[in-house]
Amino acid sequence: MPTHDLVVIGTGPGGYVCAIRAAQLGLNVAVVEKNATYGGTCLNIGCIPSKALLHASELFDEAGHGFKAFGIEVPAPVLNLAQMMKHKQETVDANVQGVAFLFKKNKITAYRGKGKVLGAGKVEVTADDGSKQTVDTKSIVIATGSDVAQLPGVTIDEKIVVSSTGALELAGVPKKLVVIGAGVIGLELGSVWRRLGAEVTVVEFLDRILPGMDGEVAKQAQRLFSRQGMAFKLATKVTGVTTSATGAVVSVEPVAGGEKETIAADIVLVSTGRRPYTDGLGLEEAGVATERGRVVIDDHFATNIPGIYAIGDVVRGPMLAHKGEDEGIAIAEILAGQHGHVNYDTIPAVVYTYPEIASVGKTEEELKAAGIAYKVGKFPFTANGRARANRTTEGFVKFLADATTDRVLGAHILGAGAGEMIHEAVVLMEFGGSSEDLGRTCHAHPTMSEAVREAALAVEGRAIHI
Ligand code: FAD
Ligand code: NAI
């Protein structure tokens, strides 16, 4: 008899949610975690600390530049970075302790150490002191997440050349910050340090920011970020970074060829993507198939080895916490004999800049490429009463609906609170709703969400306030 029904390796959002759901369903569950705290990338060095700093730095920016227009005269705010970092750490601590509490509450056994898959039903755990034990289990879920992808020729020292991890704990505000990669991390953490006083230059290989997001939204967002003081060098590649005791010099050149340039920086943030993390997991020896580093799974999260499953950043799909959580719930339900399922067409994505950028479903570019006939409904926040009252009129809502059936295929929001508002579109799409369904749904006045309804109405040219 194996000791456990399920051993989950890794306690990020995928792993810890999977463990809790499986325990709720009556399975005897254990987790293996190599780090000192639970919660993985997201809670310790990702989603949660970055949002703590994004919120705090936005307030700092507001106090400095936004209050006056509301008739609030305050002296120029003074940054206490140590206190801001304390707020970030307290947020992280509360969240990781919350996971520890939930493990206890759900009677989940926790093994502290590095897990290695010895084969179906066997996981070896190596503790920090080197001692090893083998744990027997019916099923194994691999949820080992991801790590920073290295950029060839650039050495991350987490002091001058930092990844997101280092950028979340700089000891002072850099005078000049160069961000390599205009993706989610680059724009979020670039925003944090720009608001706190850094001169930020973002170098991006492609000719646009936020690849994968709707092109029109990304273009408008870039305009707004530029107005906030971020400089962009698009279609530009980094050919090298040299460091000294005091800073770095970043060498760049246009992707299409042309004049080379150097940019001086106090800090360089490398944010060019993440890679699945399977180091020391023993996958090759156990015969678990991987493809470009990602564990290969079928539609039910099963690897090629019976009894071994995988979820989260370590498998295909977007590297997002909520995607991993939903996969964790689905595999737990499958292992308990139920019919767990994830609808990959309705996973939202949010960039937590100001304004926020939120998206679900298809972009215009994707619909065009797939040859699907669609209609567009758009509504700007400048025409929304609440946005005017709040002085948050930047951005717009955009709905993409099937030209024949009116079924909503995608929704994109650039605007304050977009990350909350997108969920109306997510629920609508989950239920196969049409733009008319949303257009006929009463929305409280005055709210920013009225713009979402108006954009849905705009699909048939029926928006009222434009
Ligand atoms: P992870 O969270 O990476 O957790 C994996 C865990 O497995 C870790 O605790 C690790 O220590 C452990 N582990 C690995 N190997 C072993 C082993 N052999 N034995 C034992 N333990 C092991 N996503 C969002 O949706 N929203 C956001 O706002 C957001 N912000 C982010 C900000 C930053 C700066 C970063 C870097 C990422 C952000 N993400 C965000 C992405 C998000 O963090 C990941 O998608 C998410 O954490 C993936 O969850 P996971 O469970 O697959 O893996
Ligand atoms: P990313 O994939 O979002 O963006 C990387 C960017 O770097 C892209 O624009 C890419 O074109 C560019 N790039 C790649 N190589 C380059 C090079 N050599 N020179 C210049 N530019 C280059 O990756 P990022 O920002 O590192 O984030 C990793 C992942 O973490 C995200 O994809 C996302 O899944 C997750 N994340 C999610 C957040 C959220 O949901 N709010 C926040 C932060 C991270």
Side-chain angles (χ1 to χ4, degrees):
M1 266 294 274
T3 318
H4 301 290
D5 295 316
L6 169 64
V7 169
V8 182
I9 308 177
T11 65
Y16 89 74
V17 168
C18 172
I20 292 170
R21 183 70 188 122
Q24 281 177 348
L25 292 168
L27 302 193
N28 176 338
V29 182
V31 292
V32 184
E33 175 54 62
K34 66 178 174 54
N35 283 356
T37 53
Y38 304 124
T41 305
C42 180
L43 274 62
N44 292 281
I45 50 165
C47 329
I48 296 299
S50 61
K51 267 77 249 179
L53 290 185
L54 276 157
H55 182 69
S57 61
E58 194 174 330
L59 290 179
F60 181 77
D61 199 46
E62 272 287 294
H65 302 104
F67 281 8
K68 209 170 175 186
F70 290 107
I72 307 166
E73 303 271 351
V74 290
V78 177
L79 176 66
N80 179 344
L81 186 59
Q83 175 58 32
M84 203 176 272
M85 291 295 175
K86 187 165 172 267
H87 155 68
K88 178 204 71 175
Q89 198 52 47
E90 283 169 358
T91 311
V92 168
D93 291 346
N95 278 273
V96 301
Q97 283 158 16
V99 175
F101 164 79
L102 291 171
F103 283 166
K104 275 209 184 97
K105 182 183 162 204
N106 287 284
K107 302 190 171 44
I108 293 165
T109 308
Y111 296 97
R112 177 58 46 75
K114 182 136 184 163
K116 183 174 175 185
V117 178
L118 296 181
K122 286 211 184 306
V123 175
E124 180 185 75
V125 182
T126 306
D128 286 348
D129 64 6
S131 61
K132 293 181 193 299
Q133 63 177 314
T134 302
V135 182
D136 295 314
T137 176
K138 267 191 222 155
S139 307
I140 298 169
V141 169
I142 297 168
T144 50
S146 63
D147 196 4
V148 178
Q150 304 288 326
L151 189 56
V154 180
T155 309
I156 295 176
D157 59 19
E158 296 296 7
K159 287 190 178 77
I160 288 174
V161 183
V162 298
S163 70
S164 53
T165 307
L168 287 167
E169 50 191 32
L170 298 182
V173 179
K175 204 166 162 310
K176 290 187 177 177
L177 172 68
V178 169
V179 174
I180 308 178
V184 198
I185 291 181
L187 294 173
E188 287 190 355
L189 295 181
S191 290
V192 165
W193 293 107
R194 203 257 330 134
R195 292 167 187 166
L196 299 181
E199 240 176 68
V200 177
T201 304
V202 184
V203 182
E204 166 61 48
F205 188 84
L206 300 176
D207 61 359
R208 55 162 295 172
I209 67 167
L210 293 171
M213 285 260 177
D214 188 89
E216 185 183 15
V217 171
K219 203 172 214 167
Q220 180 67 22
Q222 191 194 333
R223 238 177 256 146
L224 295 171
F225 298 146
S226 300
R227 219 182 284 162
Q228 293 166 6
M230 255 190 214
F232 288 93
K233 280 194 169 296
L234 302 184
T236 301
K237 67 177 174 203
V238 171
T239 52
V241 177
T242 53
T243 56
S244 65
T246 50
V249 175
V250 182
S251 303
V252 300
E253 65 181 53
V255 170
E259 210 156 302
K260 294 179 177 148
E261 225 190 301
T262 56
I263 316 171
D266 304 292
I267 299 286
V268 178
L269 166 60
V270 180
S271 48
T272 50
R274 294 180 61 82
R275 66 167 181 101
Y277 181 80
T278 57
D279 299 5
L281 198 55
L283 295 188
E284 214 169 297
E285 298 97 303
V288 177
T290 59
E291 198 180 281
R292 279 183 286 128
R294 294 205 174 197
V295 178
V296 177
I297 52 168
D298 67 11
D299 289 346
H300 305 285
F301 314 101
T303 69
N304 59 315
I305 305 290
I308 304 181
Y309 305 84
I311 57 168
D313 280 10
V314 81
V315 302
R316 82 280 178 274
M319 287 184 166
L320 295 173
H322 43 284
K323 175 260 194 187
E325 291 184 31
D326 279 22
E327 290 179 336
I329 289 171
I331 182 60
E333 292 179 346
I334 290 169
L335 293 176
Q338 300 186 353
H339 299 281
H341 173 73
V342 175
N343 181 358
Y344 289 97
D345 292 335
T346 57
I347 294 176
V350 179
V351 187
Y352 297 85
T353 44
Y354 181 84
E356 288 181 350
I357 307 162
S359 149
V360 59
K362 301 280 186 246
T363 63
E364 271 205 79
E365 291 78 9
E366 284 169 340
L367 291 176
K368 275 191 191 128
I372 297 169
Y374 63 93
K375 286 187 175 176
V376 186
K378 266 191 283 188
F379 191 83
F381 285 107
T382 43
N384 174 275
R386 185 65 181 279
R388 284 198 202 109
N390 292 356
R391 303 184 74 87
T392 53
T393 51
E394 301 91 344
F396 61 95
V397 183
K398 174 171 173 178
F399 268 91
L400 302 171
D402 187 287
T404 317
T405 64
D406 190 36
R407 187 177 172 142
V408 173
L409 303 173
H412 308 276
I413 309 178
L414 172 70
E420 303 291 342
M421 287 185 282
I422 195 68
H423 295 102
E424 336 197 9
V426 175
V427 173
L428 182 75
M429 287 176 65
E430 186 63 41
F431 285 86
S434 63
S435 76
E436 176 153 14
D437 288 330
L438 186 56
R440 290 190 180 277
T441 305
C442 187
H443 282 58
H445 177 73
T447 57
M448 296 282 284
S449 298
E450 286 173 288
V452 179
R453 181 193 192 181
E454 292 263 30
L457 282 168
V459 170
E460 294 297 339
R462 289 163 46 205
I464 301 292
H465 293 92
I466 194 155

